[in-house]
Amino acid sequence: MDMRTLIEDLVVEAEGLIRDQVWVLTPRHRTVLAKAAADLRAAVGAPQVQEALPVIDRLEHLREALAAVAIALAHCHGHTAWFLGAAATALTPVLHWRALPAEDSHTFGAVAPTPQEYAEAEDAVRRLQSTLACIASA
């Protein structure tokens, strides 16, 4: 399953839990999610902007997005933490990606992603960002 699908599944589950009042957000958690949404928006821009960047910058931005999710996760608990933890897990493939050529083939298992994989990961971050912003402002 690609990152986009994993994030979409998380979003659907989160929306259901919030609608059913199983996941009740505290004002502090809304603040954490709003900050995470802003950080994700700053990390990964619009598709045409991202696609114009060198792959090393695209990968850096995706890792920044994952870091933003991890930082938000460190500041919450309960359903909010579980959601952010699952989102971080969905984005972890970017940790195994490399943008530089492997001159000596010692890459610690890192692989070069395809342009499609970059696009899917960036779309996943955008979907997560919009969901976090929506949840935070509700």
Side-chain angles (χ1 to χ4, degrees), residues 77-126:
H77 53 79
H79 285 90
T80 305
W82 302 334
F83 175 74
L84 290 171
T89 299
L91 298 174
T92 58
V94 303
L95 297 175
H96 302 286
W97 290 357
R98 63 179 170 79
L100 300 175
E103 296 170 9
D104 61 6
S105 75
H106 297 285
T107 63
F108 303 98
V111 298
T114 66
Q116 181 64 28
E117 287 172 315
Y118 276 113
E120 287 173 0
E122 291 159 351
D123 285 347
V125 170
R126 286 185 205 95

Side-chain angles (χ1 to χ4, degrees), residues 1-10 62 66 86-95 97 113 116-125 127-128:
M1 209 181 279
D2 67 50
M3 282 182 248
R4 226 183 346 213
T5 303
L6 291 170
I7 292 295
E8 187 60 37
D9 289 349
L10 290 173
L62 287 166
L66 179 56
T89 299
L91 298 174
T92 58
V94 303
L95 297 175
W97 290 357
Q116 181 64 28
E117 287 172 315
Y118 276 113
E120 287 173 0
E122 291 159 351
D123 285 347
V125 170
R127 178 64 169 123
L128 179 60

Side-chain angles (χ1 to χ4, degrees), residues 58-83:
R58 289 178 81 176
L59 182 53
E60 180 181 324
H61 291 190
L62 287 166
R63 289 178 179 160
E64 286 174 13
L66 179 56
V69 174
I71 289 167
L73 173 60
H75 294 283
C76 57
H77 53 79
H79 285 90
T80 305
W82 302 334
F83 175 74

Side-chain angles (χ1 to χ4, degrees), residues 9-23 135:
D9 289 349
L10 290 173
V11 166
V12 169
E13 183 177 359
E15 290 170 344
L17 292 172
I18 291 168
R19 182 183 55 253
D20 296 342
Q21 297 183 345
V22 173
W23 179 10
I135 291 171

